[in-house]
């Protein structure tokens, strides 16, 4: 893959990431696809992160730029990158964490897949991760392959798009920039991207991992070591969702941003999900007839029980 191929802009939000940041940046610079540019927004780090970034910018001025801003949190930081720092000639965009390692062909594979489709529709390419420990020793592949596939009906209640594996095309970016959500109303920037692209475009899933995803004490999103850990995480998430109704809040924000432009079938499903003040019989009926789904059988059952109890509805 040479310079004649599409330019990729890699968006990195850093915060106190001194331990692993250099290794991550090295893996970006070693990509087999050479036409890329790295844009870093430091979210007010207080450790040596800024010094590391300064060094890389000085050594690779044609590949890396950095902006040192106040702390606003990871979600708002990525949306600020989307709003303010995308280059006019960028064709593809990736999100990047500060503590992983990318496989050398990550960009090449994403471009190859997206370039086979029309540029006129928003598209997203995503993969699972290879979970590793601090020393990059493999643990497992996470998350599992989405057996029921990606769709808007899935995106309303589950995110299968791990942000650091995502590549989106220019059309998807333009849509995301057109209606920036209020960060406090959404769960994560990658989940929001999945919602937008699944509603208006095409999501392409590649079952081969593209990054080494570190599992350490400050990063415990996935990669449980066994069924006990998995069930404990699901119970913790269940309690959190009961308390904060995060699915409903995010769906309401999506309706605010995109409700009028949604295709009819998707608009109806979104409105049904957001319908307020349902009694127990209404919730039972909705749980049994809703098109919304999660990928695993267990999660699908749990989400319907949450609907019936009123834990994720209002």
């Amino acid at each position: 893959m040479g310079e004649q191929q599409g330019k990729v802009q890699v968006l990195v939000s850093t915060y106190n990431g001194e331990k692993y940041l250099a290794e991550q940046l090295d893996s970006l610079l070693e990509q087999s696809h050479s036409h890329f540019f790295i844009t870093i927004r430091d979210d007010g780090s207080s450790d040596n992160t800024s010094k590391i970034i300064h060094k890389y910018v000085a050594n690779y001025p044609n590949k890396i730029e950095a902006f040192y801003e106040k702390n606003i949190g990871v979600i708002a930081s990525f949306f600020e990158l989307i709003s303010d720092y995308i280059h006019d000639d960028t064709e593809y965009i990736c999100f990047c964490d500060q503590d992983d390692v990318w496989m050398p062909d990550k960009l090449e594979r994403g471009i190859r897949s997206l370039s086979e489709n029309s540029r006129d529709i928003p598209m997203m390419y995503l993969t699972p991760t290879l979970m590793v420990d601090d020393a990059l020793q493999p643990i497992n592949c996470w998350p599992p392959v989405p057996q029921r596939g990606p769709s808007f009906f899935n995106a309303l209640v589950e995110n299968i798009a791990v942000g650091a594996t995502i590549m989106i095309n220019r059309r998807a970016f333009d849509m995301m920039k057109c209606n920036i959500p209020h960060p406090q109303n959404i769960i994560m920037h990658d989940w929001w991207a999945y919602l937008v692209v699944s509603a208006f475009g095409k999501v392409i899933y590649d079952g081969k991992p593209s990054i080494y995803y570190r599992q350490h004490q400050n990063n415990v999103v996935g990669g449980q070591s066994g069924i006990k850990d998995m069930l404990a995480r699901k119970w913790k998430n269940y309690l959190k969702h009961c308390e904060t109704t995060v699915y409903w809040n995010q769906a309401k924000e999506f309706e605010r941003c995109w409700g009028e432009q949604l295709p009819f079938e998707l608009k109806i499903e979104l409105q049904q999900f957001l319908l307020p003040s349902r009694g127990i019989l209404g919730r039972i009926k909705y749980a049994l007839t809703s098109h919304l789904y999660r990928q695993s059988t267990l999660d699908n059952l749990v989400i319907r029980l949450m609907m019936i109890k009123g834990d994720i509805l209002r």
Side-chain angles (χ1 to χ4, degrees), residues 196-207:
V196 172
V197 178
S198 64
F200 297 102
K202 181 178 182 181
V203 177
I204 301 169
Y205 181 84
D206 177 354

Side-chain angles (χ1 to χ4, degrees), residues 10-15 21 39-43 53 72-78 81 95-99 189:
V10 181
L11 306 182
V12 187
S13 178
T14 58
Y15 178 72
L21 180 58
T39 300
I40 304 173
R41 182 192 179 279
D42 185 68
D43 194 36
I53 296 171
I72 57 176
V74 62
I75 299 175
S77 183
F78 271 111
L81 282 163
F95 303 123
C96 180
D97 293 336
Q98 65 186 9
D99 50 5
H189 61 284

Side-chain angles (χ1 to χ4, degrees), residues 7 109 122 124 190 218 255 262 266 272:
K7 175 182 171 180
R109 287 165 51 199
M124 171 191 289
D190 51 6
N218 296 320
E255 182 187 50
L262 275 175
L266 304 188
Q272 287 296 313

Side-chain angles (χ1 to χ4, degrees), residues 25 37-38 40 50-68:
L25 293 176
F37 197 89
I38 302 167
I40 304 173
S50 297
K51 292 181 180 178
I52 295 170
I53 296 171
H54 276 295
K55 178 182 176 181
Y56 274 84
V57 171
N59 290 338
Y60 302 96
N62 297 322
K63 282 290 186 184
I64 306 177
E65 64 182 351
F67 304 90
Y68 306 92

Side-chain angles (χ1 to χ4, degrees), residues 246-263:
V246 291
Y247 298 148
W248 195 94
N249 292 338
Q250 181 168 259
K252 190 66 177 178
E253 183 69 4
F254 192 84
E255 182 187 50
R256 184 187 71 81
C257 291
W258 293 107
E260 293 303 315
Q261 300 179 49
L262 275 175

